[in-house]
Amino acid sequence: VLQEFASFVYRHFTLNLHKYPTLSSLSLAIFRANFLDKNAKIPITDTFLYDKIKSGYTGGQVDIYKHMNPPHTGVYCYDVNSLYPYVMSNSSFPVGTPRFFEGSQIDLTAFETFGFLKVKVHAPKDLNIPLLQLRRNGKTISPLGTWTDWYFSEELKLALTLGYKFEIIEGVLFERGKPFINYVQTLYNLRNSYSKGDPLFVNFF
């Protein structure tokens, strides 16, 4: 199986499978070797900016809510075809040279405001299902009230529609870009070239 997979990877992407111990490292190598635009600006930020942005990372949000009044007897299940690749292909990502700023001179609602912001959050105290997360004492929570933390600008824009209010303290702004369109579309088309009973179809996405 590994020999067949190694031949497949080399045939399509000219990479030696044995140099990449995990699928994640192989995926990154395929992207960088075959799909990364030579003129694309996707910088690795310095430690100063990286530490600020990283402090706002909390991981995925997975919650279960039981609607007790009235009780629900039906459940709707949705099967989305390759949701993660779809988002990678169609959503804007931070690219370009990062620009650090301090102060509240930024308009959060502006299209150009795209990046990571440190804000003082004022969450509605009557919000039934809080949106914004933060890490406290090793746990991820979605609180009400007031606190200060780092968030992605598009997450904050969504929170505004739910009644959240923000005081901007500082941030790191980027340009918008879609660097994964060709990468995702090529792999998706390659996957669909196999029948549904083929192992390659099952394991692409």
Side-chain angles (χ1 to χ4, degrees), residues 21-177:
T22 65
L23 286 176
S24 297
S25 62
L26 175 61
S27 298
L28 179 60
I30 290 174
F31 172 72
R32 294 182 64 180
N34 296 269
F35 299 98
L36 179 61
D37 187 346
K38 302 303 180 183
N39 298 318
K41 297 179 293 182
I42 306 179
I44 298 176
T45 62
D46 57 34
T47 303
F48 172 74
L49 296 182
Y50 175 80
D51 288 343
K52 289 180 176 295
I53 293 173
K54 183 181 177 182
S55 67
Y57 177 73
T58 59
Q61 187 172 17
V62 181
D63 297 325
I64 298 176
Y65 297 94
K66 295 182 179 180
H67 297 275
M68 303 302 295
N69 188 21
H72 288 268
T73 57
V75 176
Y76 294 93
C77 298
Y78 299 92
D79 182 13
V80 181
N81 185 3
S82 302
L83 180 59
Y84 277 104
Y86 175 83
V87 173
M88 287 176 62
S89 179
N90 289 276
S91 299
S92 296
F93 287 84
V95 300
T97 304
R99 179 168 62 89
F100 175 73
F101 73 90
E102 293 180 304
S104 58
Q105 72 274 18
I106 297 296
D107 179 6
L108 177 57
T109 62
F111 179 81
E112 295 75 17
T113 302
F114 188 75
F116 302 87
L117 308 176
K118 183 179 182 180
V119 295
K120 185 174 183 180
V121 181
H122 301 277
K125 294 184 178 180
D126 59 347
L127 193 61
N128 184 34
I129 302 177
L131 173 67
L132 298 181
Q133 299 184 146
L134 73 154
R135 298 281 293 176
R136 286 295 183 269
N137 300 320
K139 295 182 179 181
T140 300
I141 60 175
S142 297
L144 300 176
T146 302
W147 70 92
T148 300
D149 212 334
W150 282 82
Y151 294 96
F152 185 43
S153 59
E154 307 312 283
E155 192 174 21
L156 296 178
K157 291 174 183 178
L158 175 60
L160 284 175
T161 66
L162 300 177
Y164 284 83
K165 298 184 183 302
F166 305 104
E167 300 175 45
I168 300 175
I169 300 172
E170 60 184 11
V172 184
L173 298 181
F174 290 83
E175 300 172 24
R176 293 173 181 265

